[in-house]
Amino acid sequence: MKAAFPHTIPIFAGFCFLGMTYGIYMHVSGFSFVYPLIMSMIIFGGSLEFLAVSMLLGRFAPVQTLIMVLMVQARHLFYGIAMLDRFKGMGWKKFYLIFGMCDETFSINCSVEIPEDVDKGWFMFFVTLLDQIYWVSGAALGGILGSFITFNTDGLDFVMTAMFVVIFLEQWLKEKKHYTAYIGLAASVLCLWVFGADSFMVPAMVCIVAGLTFMRKPIERAGGLL
Amino acid sequence: MVMTLEQQIITIGICVLGTMLTRFLPFLVFSSRKPTPKYIRYLGDALPSAIFGMLVVYCLKNVEITGGNHGLPELISICLVVGLHLWKRQMLLSIAGGTICYMLLVQLVF
């Protein structure tokens, strides 16, 4: 735990801030702090939890929700593939390591050089646990503090837009070629225009996977994305 | 609230189920000895940009370009987010800066 803690300090700041914003956002959207508390505990995936707020406020659409969750979280599949070896032989800890593998936890556990004299399983276990504690307490605190906020919170929902813009930009900067970003944007805008704001997500996701599959050969011939 | 409590619970349940499916599936399907199929690896590289692009569009889906304030507060704030991020590359600063800018714009200007 002592070895793991320093690596999680940057996450501490980020998760407390984002978690609290998430909790406040849920509060101003009309949910009691129990919602962010439970959701941050059992979903534990920041971007999806923000999305879940707008899904909970919309009409009940289980199939669309499931498809959206799978697409948004699909990147975890590749985290898992990357961690196949690292999580081997961890026993019961493996279950929690997989359960709690959010983006930030993954990036630490995947990249950090664990000192020789520290048990790898316990190190990764505490990274995961600490990160989750930061996020859950931030979210619950935000949900509770939300009711004491007296300033005007109009426009706070933009935090989700800003977050996705930043993540998108980070992806953009990582890649040399931006074909897939264009495919995503073009497919979404086109479907938004054709199907309207309430029902464009499923067609957009279908178009994206179809577009990516169709463009695979040209993209790979051009030397991939990097 | 449009949804009943049961529907909310189901929706949250689906979020949990979908998330856990994506986290656990690789450990159930792939072994570290066999190489991962090429198509899957390609999707892994290609999907994130496309999906986060889509989510940006999703966040802006209710912006009226032809009426209202023509999406100006959104446009200005997104430019600020991008500018801040290219300048400092501090995720929290960019998000907080853009959100505060947007809140001020919709509350005081528009």
Side-chain angles (χ1 to χ4, degrees):
Chain A
M1 172 142 183
K2 242 189 254 158
F5 178 67
H7 292 279
T8 65
I9 291 175
I11 316 267
F12 173 73
F15 272 18
C16 281
F17 170 77
L18 272 182
M20 272 181 66
T21 320
Y22 167 65
I24 296 172
Y25 177 41
M26 281 224 81
H27 177 84
V28 297
S29 306
F31 296 97
S32 109
F33 79 95
V34 179
Y35 283 83
L37 177 67
I38 292 178
M39 286 165 69
S40 58
M41 253 194 271
I42 60 179
I43 304 178
F44 192 41
S47 42
L48 178 68
E49 283 171 44
F50 274 97
L51 275 178
V53 180
S54 61
M55 296 197 283
L56 284 172
L57 290 172
R59 63 199 157 75
F60 182 58
V63 177
Q64 178 179 331
T65 307
L66 181 64
I67 298 176
M68 192 146 152
V69 172
L70 291 177
M71 295 283 280
V72 174
Q73 304 288 52
R75 59 186 193 285
H76 290 130
L77 290 173
F78 309 101
Y79 296 171
I81 292 169
M83 299 306 267
L84 281 174
D85 277 330
R86 283 208 152 208
F87 287 175
K88 211 183 251 171
M90 293 294 169
W92 61 270
K93 286 190 225 84
K94 184 171 171 179
F95 183 84
Y96 180 68
L97 286 172
I98 300 174
F99 168 83
M101 193 171 50
C102 65
D103 305 273
E104 289 75 6
T105 302
F106 166 76
S107 63
I108 297 182
N109 280 342
C110 179
S111 58
V112 75
E113 294 285 333
I114 303 170
E116 283 296 324
D117 53 336
V118 175
D119 180 80
K120 285 188 172 57
W122 281 111
F123 179 90
M124 295 196 284
F125 178 84
F126 277 116
V127 168
T128 312
L129 183 67
L130 285 167
D131 282 359
Q132 186 162 21
I133 291 173
Y134 304 152
W135 177 252
V136 172
S137 18
L141 203 63
I144 296 168
L145 288 180
S147 44
F148 298 108
I149 285 177
T150 47
F151 61 86
N152 186 347
T153 51
D154 279 354
L156 185 72
D157 53 340
F158 191 78
V159 69
M160 182 159 83
T161 316
M163 181 180 74
F164 286 133
V165 169
V166 170
I167 300 176
F168 178 71
L169 190 61
E170 276 292 323
Q171 282 291 334
W172 182 278
L173 294 171
K174 249 197 304 192
E175 295 165 355
K176 284 217 179 68
K177 294 174 184 141
H178 306 297
Y179 313 109
T180 61
Y182 292 133
I183 291 175
L185 288 174
S188 316
V189 173
L190 191 73
C191 290
L192 175 62
W193 182 56
V194 174
F195 296 94
D198 291 326
S199 45
F200 83 102
M201 287 297 276
V202 172
M205 291 183 278
V206 173
C207 287
I208 286 172
V209 173
L212 292 180
T213 308
F214 185 68
M215 292 296 288
R216 182 180 165 198
K217 279 278 146 61
I219 289 174
E220 285 181 343
R221 210 175 302 138
L225 298 164
L226 294 176
Chain B
M1 297 283 145
V2 191
M3 285 192 202
T4 63
L5 183 65
E6 288 80 25
Q7 291 175 329
Q8 288 183 345
I9 292 172
I10 294 171
T11 302
I12 296 174
I14 290 171
C15 292
V16 175
L17 185 84
T19 304
M20 289 312 144
L21 198 66
T22 60
R23 283 186 189 161
F24 279 92
L25 200 62
F27 293 90
L28 302 174
V29 176
F30 302 114
S31 81
S32 49
R33 264 168 269 127
K34 261 191 296 175
T36 316
K38 276 213 178 86
Y39 178 65
I40 302 285
R41 254 191 296 168
Y42 163 72
L43 277 187
D45 292 335
L47 261 182
S49 292
I51 292 297
F52 284 111
M54 178 189 80
L55 289 174
V56 173
V57 176
Y58 173 81
C59 290
L60 301 171
K61 69 188 161 102
N62 291 320
V63 174
E64 290 173 51
I65 296 172
T66 47
N69 47 41
H70 305 281
L72 272 179
E74 282 82 5
L75 185 69
I76 296 169
S77 310
I78 287 178
C79 289
L80 182 73
V81 172
V82 173
L84 275 176
H85 200 68
L86 291 177
W87 179 36
K88 292 282 186 187
R89 204 120 184 222
Q90 294 272 341
M91 195 161 188
L92 293 181
L93 179 77
S94 318
I95 295 176
T99 307
I100 292 168
C101 167
Y102 182 79
M103 289 172 74
L104 293 175
L105 284 176
V106 292
Q107 289 176 19
L108 304 175
V109 183
F110 289 94

